Amino acid sequence: MAILLPGGAGYIGSHTAIELLEAGKEIVIIDNFSNSNPRVLESIKKITGKDFKFYEIDYMHKEKLQKVFEENTIESVINFAGFKAVGESVQKPIEYYRNNISGALVLLDTMRKYGCKKFIFSSSATVYGEPERIPLTEDCKTGGTTNPYGTTKLFIEQILKDIYTSDNTWDICILRYFNPVGAHKSGRIGEEPQGIPNNLMPYIVRVASGQLKELSIFGDDYDTPDGTGVRDYIHVVDLAKGHLKALEKINKEGKGLYIYNLGTGTGYSVLDMVKAFEKTTGKKVNYKIAPRRLGDIATCYADPKKAKEELGWEATKTLEDMCQDSWNYMANQEYLT
């Protein structure tokens, strides 16, 4: 019985694949490398000493996806195949709606056809839109999303709720990520965006390494302590471990639809992150203040209490861990090419 990971070669998917393999689980990865590198698959094998099946396909391709289900006994699915950059989604809404929503529908329809009804969904704190209160709890209102990326997550959450209402033999767990950063301690896998990074930490790392001239900080006039945006940054390995806890939950509890925030409960500003990175690594990060980006909000961080109480999960890695592991991954790249 295998766990299917669409987008399993990506940033969060690959870290979760490692945690699953090290926990003795059988996995099948599918990916089309639209925002990932084939090298990651070998890195997963080297880190874990374990093998797995892989298919290079787009999860929107129904016939190829059905072949995966026919050739494997898929017990559950953790979907990592969504496009994920807020800024890019504002520029490319059609691509985001097509990949994230149409792809999820193809995947869910295929799961239903093959009687696979255990599903963990990578959602996002962006579904809360402008937060009604801080810290955000799972019962805060959703909607009013400020960018197409967040809207795709919101729509898929509604689709999952409607599926469960129509057929309560599904086991569904929605995980609302806050801001994943960091990399595996081995330095072999990490965040590797194509082109200029959309997310803060890979941008910082590339400036520190000299690949990029300076970091653009989008807005310094938000209602925050230093004027820059405040977010809940969570180490990607902590986040990956949350998926194992979610899998335990739906396997143990039986039928249900569950929603959890995965965050640390602490907010750091963009300038906080720059200073922490410089202090931890000793590397200088040049930056400039740029206009606000469409779709960004001032402050967003989680109340992770529910995940701790119901999943037995909490983030354990520090801000220094996040900075050091991100830098180690960049420093290790010359040895991995």
Side-chain angles (χ1 to χ4, degrees):
M1 302 289 274
I3 303 156
L4 180 66
L5 306 182
Y11 177 44
I12 300 168
S14 60
H15 285 84
T16 304
I18 287 170
E19 297 299 323
L20 289 166
L21 288 167
E22 291 185 337
K25 307 293 186 184
E26 181 187 349
I27 66 169
V28 176
I29 291 177
I30 61 175
D31 208 302
N32 65 352
F33 303 120
S34 62
N35 195 30
S36 59
N37 192 311
R39 189 186 70 212
V40 168
L41 301 175
E42 288 306 311
S43 293
I44 294 171
K45 292 174 185 176
K46 285 177 181 174
I47 290 167
T48 63
K50 297 183 179 180
D51 203 359
F52 52 86
K53 290 183 78 171
F54 169 73
Y55 296 80
E56 185 175 351
I57 65 168
D58 188 321
Y59 82 141
M60 287 195 289
H61 197 298
K62 194 166 191 174
E63 289 73 23
K64 291 181 179 178
L65 186 60
Q66 287 179 354
K67 186 169 181 281
V68 175
F69 276 81
E70 285 166 5
E71 293 181 358
N72 303 274
T73 305
I74 305 296
E75 177 187 37
S76 52
V77 176
I78 309 178
N79 183 23
F80 298 106
F83 291 162
K84 63 175 186 174
V86 167
E88 184 183 61
S89 77
V90 176
Q91 305 300 320
K92 299 180 176 180
I94 292 174
E95 287 84 352
Y96 269 69
Y97 285 117
R98 182 175 61 214
N99 181 79
N100 292 10
I101 297 175
S102 299
L105 287 170
V106 170
L107 178 60
L108 289 160
D109 191 29
T110 305
M111 289 176 65
R112 178 177 61 173
K113 177 176 179 178
Y114 289 91
C116 174
K117 294 184 176 182
K118 293 181 184 291
F119 188 71
I120 297 173
F121 176 56
S122 301
S123 191
S124 164
T126 54
V127 301
Y128 294 113
E130 288 284 351
E132 65 172 312
R133 64 178 183 271
I134 296 292
L136 283 157
T137 57
E138 289 83 353
D139 59 357
C140 284
K141 70 176 178 63
T142 57
T145 45
T146 59
N147 54 79
Y149 164 75
T151 306
T152 68
K153 297 298 188 181
L154 182 70
F155 285 178
I156 296 167
E157 283 199 11
Q158 187 60 54
I159 288 165
L160 293 172
K161 291 171 185 175
D162 291 342
I163 288 171
Y164 184 73
T165 298
S166 73
D167 178 2
N168 64 8
T169 64
W170 283 78
D171 301 303
I172 296 171
C173 191
I174 294 169
L175 300 178
R176 291 174 179 161
Y177 303 167
F178 280 68
N179 290 68
V181 295
H184 192 268
K185 63 184 178 183
S186 67
R188 284 192 167 274
I189 63 168
E191 191 167 9
E192 198 169 314
Q194 310 294 325
I196 294 177
N198 286 285
N199 296 328
L200 178 62
M201 187 59 82
Y203 208 143
I204 288 175
V205 168
R206 279 159 178 72
V207 172
S209 70
Q211 290 184 23
L212 295 174
K213 179 185 174 186
E214 59 190 359
L215 169 70
S216 293
I217 295 178
F218 298 105
D220 65 348
D221 57 350
Y222 287 105
D223 184 17
T224 62
D226 62 20
T228 63
V230 170
R231 296 291 183 270
D232 187 336
Y233 295 94
I234 175 172
H235 198 292
V236 66
V237 173
D238 279 334
L239 187 65
K241 291 177 187 295
H243 295 79
L244 271 70
K245 293 293 189 182
L247 200 60
E248 287 175 17
K249 174 81 173 180
I250 62 175
N251 285 333
K252 182 174 69 174
E253 295 287 335
K255 314 309 173 196
L257 186 147
Y258 310 97
I259 301 175
Y260 299 102
N261 288 334
L262 295 186
T264 66
T266 302
Y268 294 102
S269 74
V270 176
L271 285 175
D272 286 337
M273 296 298 285
V274 170
K275 291 170 186 172
F277 183 88
E278 289 181 332
K279 183 179 178 182
T280 301
T281 65
K283 300 294 179 181
K284 177 69 176 168
V285 179
N286 297 316
Y287 66 85
K288 66 176 181 180
I289 304 300
R292 293 188 184 190
R293 283 188 306 194
L294 284 173
D296 279 347
I297 58 176
T299 301
C300 181
Y301 60 90
D303 180 342
K305 182 180 176 184
K306 185 181 176 188
K308 182 177 181 180
E309 291 177 347
E310 296 188 14
L311 297 180
W313 173 90
E314 62 181 326
T316 61
K317 291 186 177 291
T318 65
L319 184 56
E320 289 71 28
D321 293 331
M322 300 177 206
C323 294
Q324 191 63 58
D325 289 345
S326 296
W327 178 247
N328 287 347
Y329 175 65
M330 171 57 71
N332 202 34
Q333 289 313 287
E334 62 183 290
Y335 303 110
L336 297 178
T337 53

